[in-house]
Amino acid sequence: MPADDRTARTGRRSVYLLAGVNLTGLGSLTAPVVAGLPLKIDALFPAQERADVLATVLAIGALAALVSNPLFGMLSDRTRGRFGRRRPWMLGGALAGLLGVAALGAADSLPVIVTCWVFTQTAYNAMLAATAALLADIVPDSRRAAASGVFTAAAFVGTLPPLVLTAMLPRQVDAVSLVMPIIAVVVVAIALRLPDAAPCPRNAAAPGLGTTPVLHARTARRAFTAVWLQRLAMQSAFSLASAFTIYLVIDRMTHDPVGATPVAMIATLAGGSGIVIGAAVGGAWASRLRRHLPFLVCGALGLAAGASLRSLADSPPLLWIASSLGGLAVGIYLAVNLALAMRVIPGHQRGTYLGVLNIAETIPQVLAPVTAAALLHVGQSDPVSGSADNYFMLYLSAAAVAMLSLATLPTLRQTSRGEVRRSRPHPTETGASSSRM
């Protein structure tokens, strides 16, 4: 096998392995959120209090994730030692996360539940921050969109096994919650074989990344700010567009909570499947064409179209089409947005910058439910169903926010057009840089 083919094949294996870490890490947090925490709180509090208590616990956990991801990304940038920069945090996070999930299963009071959940969120965000940084370290710029697509798709696929196991074994939630954390430790142990290079010097490309662009500090900050704002806008739009789906189905379609559940679940599955397909296919095509901006435009327009269709949906098929369209659009944008972020951030601060990028994804998860609830009460009533909750206004607002993300394109176009100086290709990586995933 030619050397460049072997290099490309090794690169693909590295990406798939890191995607596996991402899959198991996010999957480890799924079962506690879906069933573990709700059931524990249900056993401790009366029915009229449990929703507020659960919302508080989840919000505290989200705040822990908001802080810990950039914090541990920065720490991984500054870590020195024979074991590497990223690997200690990956392994430590996986082991600590397993401990946290096990402790959460034994928790029997609200303070202990909160403590265990914050610990678990912190541990897995340490692991995920280091994993994303390592992906940026080892993947050449020419393949980052494809790698980002695989990495992003894996995150959503990781939520499926815990959901299936929880549905099949509803009385064994604590045991089911340990499955993905145990697998995460195994996958991370295998990923420790990946190279973990020393920090890059300032204003230099990482060794072996060939045509990675090197940005002046001011240009890099401006470009990263545009990428960050774009992710904030798109994640906000997606969170608004997917909010209160089951209530939409009840008020417009079934008028029955029992009948609404399968319709809403199919919509959620359609959206998640769309994200996986959009990320994998969109990322691969962006790498093949070596163009990013058309895919960002496609993502914004697609999400706006999906949200607009949802604002008018009065039957399950229309809702499912809207969910699929929105999911495909979000998957495309996520893959390309992450690839652009990895292109513009300084090589010696990848963990820090990618952690900060994660904040743009976490903030909407915290604020979108409150904002969506307020938008439901704007105007007189829903023009489609006549219900008091104005879903038409909610989802049109989501479409508008998605379109607002396009305001970042002028800055990204300047960066994309090459207002950077390119590093000289590393002689051993010339073939790898020109290959495709």
Side-chain angles (χ1 to χ4, degrees), residues 380-405:
Q380 297 297 321
S381 61
D382 182 45
V384 177
S385 65
S387 67
D389 291 331
N390 193 347
Y391 301 102
F392 182 78
M393 177 60 68
L394 169 60
Y395 299 130
L396 275 190
S397 298
V401 174
M403 294 299 294
L404 185 63
S405 72

Side-chain angles (χ1 to χ4, degrees), residues 19 34 38 61 63 123 172 209 216 219 237 239 254 297 364 378 401 408 418 430:
V34 171
L63 182 61
Q172 306 295 329
L209 291 192
H216 295 293
T219 305
S239 296
T254 66
V297 173
V378 175
V401 174
T408 62
T430 304

Side-chain angles (χ1 to χ4, degrees), residues 13-58:
R13 288 175 177 172
S14 299
V15 170
Y16 294 144
L17 190 52
L18 290 176
V21 176
N22 201 36
L23 184 155
T24 56
L26 291 171
S28 296
L29 296 170
T30 300
V33 170
V34 171
L37 289 171
L39 290 177
K40 286 190 174 296
I41 291 172
D42 180 68
L44 293 173
F45 293 90
Q48 63 270 24
E49 297 179 17
R50 62 190 179 188
D52 291 338
V53 174
L54 177 61
T56 301
V57 173
L58 292 177

Side-chain angles (χ1 to χ4, degrees), residues 124-153:
Y124 280 116
N125 273 275
M127 184 186 86
L128 295 171
T131 303
L134 185 56
L135 180 76
D137 287 342
I138 67 177
V139 177
D141 183 70
S142 62
R143 296 208 306 269
R144 279 180 177 160
S148 298
V150 173
F151 195 74
T152 300

Side-chain angles (χ1 to χ4, degrees), residues 28-117:
S28 296
L29 296 170
T30 300
V33 170
V34 171
L37 289 171
L39 290 177
K40 286 190 174 296
I41 291 172
D42 180 68
L44 293 173
F45 293 90
Q48 63 270 24
E49 297 179 17
R50 62 190 179 188
D52 291 338
V53 174
L54 177 61
T56 301
V57 173
L58 292 177
I60 294 173
L63 182 61
L66 189 73
V67 173
S68 58
N69 200 287
L71 172 63
F72 286 102
M74 179 187 66
L75 290 175
S76 74
D77 284 335
R78 300 181 179 185
T79 298
R80 303 292 185 272
R82 295 176 59 187
F83 200 51
R85 289 192 296 168
R86 318 299 185 188
R87 290 182 295 204
W89 300 105
M90 291 169 61
L91 181 59
L95 293 173
L98 174 59
L99 178 62
V101 173
L104 185 63
D108 57 0
S109 67
L110 184 60
V112 177
I113 290 172
V114 172
T115 301
C116 292
W117 184 235

